[in-house]
């Protein structure tokens, strides 16, 4: 019998459904699965520059937190993580995601990354940057914090004054600025990748918000071959084991990369598609650790 552990953030509610599903499906696959909370004491570096881990030895770790430091310490100590630390970090920084996906075949929104800022005091160079962003992207445009999920910290900016006001408010946070894809207003596709392959997809849509995953959004099954092939190409390029790839609808109904989620939720996916993502994930883990 293989033995694994799920590591959760202290805010456990966000992954409550995934935890429940993994624990349920693990019993059917003869996996002994524990879970622990990352309270900051699971690992540290000792005076001999060694990672010290306050966990038993497990065959694998299902890592449902986004704490890059703990993930790296666990990997340095020999633990096998799903998802690995580097891929998690790549997905948690939206501009790093775009850098990793640079390819003429992978269309993405025109995107600017904000210059590194240490203060809320703005000089002329910052105003010049914002003017350039507005000129290149046009209005409305999208502003996002580079790290974030669930549609939080994503803003639709309608004019120059709104852009300046928001920029001042969010400083010194790292931001990205993107062209607004009007044809995808309130709509997106979530493609679930398991074991490197497209497992299925859903379309998410919102009747009144520009964000397809804002509160009140709905979902339905989605099976457009063009979009699934596009997601599969990205999965192959990045050597993805597991992720949710979010796509936008272009003006000619072409797929456009929005972002990649290394720890994608699958409760809505399972409900809509009737596919058992939890079991498929655990079967992937068993295959990989062999």
């Amino acid at each position: 019998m293989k033995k694994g552990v799920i590591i959760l953030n202290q805010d456990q509610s966000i992954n409550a459904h995934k935890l429940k599903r993994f624990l349920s499906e693990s019993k059917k696959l003869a996996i002994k699965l524990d879970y622990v909370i990352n309270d900051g004491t699971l690992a540290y570096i000792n005076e001999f520059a060694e990672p010290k881990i306050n966990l038993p030895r497990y065959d694998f770790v299902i890592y449902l937190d986004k704490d890059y430091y703990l993930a790296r310490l666990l990997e340095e100590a020999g633990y096998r993580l799903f998802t690995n630390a580097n891929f998690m970090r790549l997905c948690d920084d939206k501009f790093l995601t775009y850098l990793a996906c640079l390819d003429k075949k992978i269309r993405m929104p025109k995107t600017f990354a904000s210059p590194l800022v240490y203060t809320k005091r703005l000089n002329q160079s910052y105003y010049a940057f914002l003017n350039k962003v507005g000129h290149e992207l046009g209005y409305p445009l999208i502003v996002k914090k580079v790290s974030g999920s669930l549609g939080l910290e994503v803003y639709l900016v309608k004019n120059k004054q709104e852009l300046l006001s928001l920029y001042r408010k969010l400083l010194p946070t790292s931001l990205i600025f993107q062209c607004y894809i009007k044809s995808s207003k309130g709509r997106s596709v979530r493609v679930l990748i398991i074991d490197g392959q497209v497992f299925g997809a859903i379309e998410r849509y919102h009747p009144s918000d520009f964000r397809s995953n804002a509160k009140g959004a709905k979902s339905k099954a989605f099976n457009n071959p063009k979009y699934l092939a596009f997601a599969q190409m990205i999965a192959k390029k990045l050597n993805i084991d597991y992720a949710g790839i979010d796509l936008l609808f272009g003006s000619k109904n072409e797929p456009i990369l929005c972002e990649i989620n290394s720890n994608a939720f699958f409760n809505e996916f399972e409900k809509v598609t009737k596919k058992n993502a939890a079991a498929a994930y655990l079967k992937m883990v068993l295959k990989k650790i062999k």
Side-chain angles (χ1 to χ4, degrees), residues 242-268:
Y242 175 84
I245 299 178
D246 292 342
L247 306 176
L248 303 174
F249 294 90
S251 59
K252 298 180 180 179
N253 201 34
E254 74 278 16
I256 299 173
L257 174 63
C258 179
E259 61 186 47
I260 303 175
N261 297 273
S262 61
N263 268 334
F265 301 121
F266 51 67
N267 50 327
E268 186 70 12

Side-chain angles (χ1 to χ4, degrees), residues 209-223:
D209 201 297
F210 74 96
R211 299 165 300 174
S212 62
N213 59 344
K215 186 176 180 180
K218 299 180 181 181
S219 303
K220 60 184 178 181
F222 185 83
N223 193 33

Side-chain angles (χ1 to χ4, degrees), residues 187-192 198-205 212-213 218-224 227-228 245-247 249 265-275:
R187 299 172 63 216
S188 70
V189 175
R190 161 62 59 88
V191 182
L192 197 64
V198 169
F199 187 68
I202 58 174
E203 179 182 341
R204 301 181 294 188
Y205 55 98
S212 62
N213 59 344
K218 299 180 181 181
S219 303
K220 60 184 178 181
F222 185 83
N223 193 33
N224 184 313
Y227 280 71
L228 302 186
I245 299 178
D246 292 342
L247 306 176
F249 294 90
F265 301 121
F266 51 67
N267 50 327
E268 186 70 12
F269 175 90
E270 287 191 328
K271 183 168 64 176
V272 171
T273 66
K274 310 303 179 186
K275 291 186 175 183

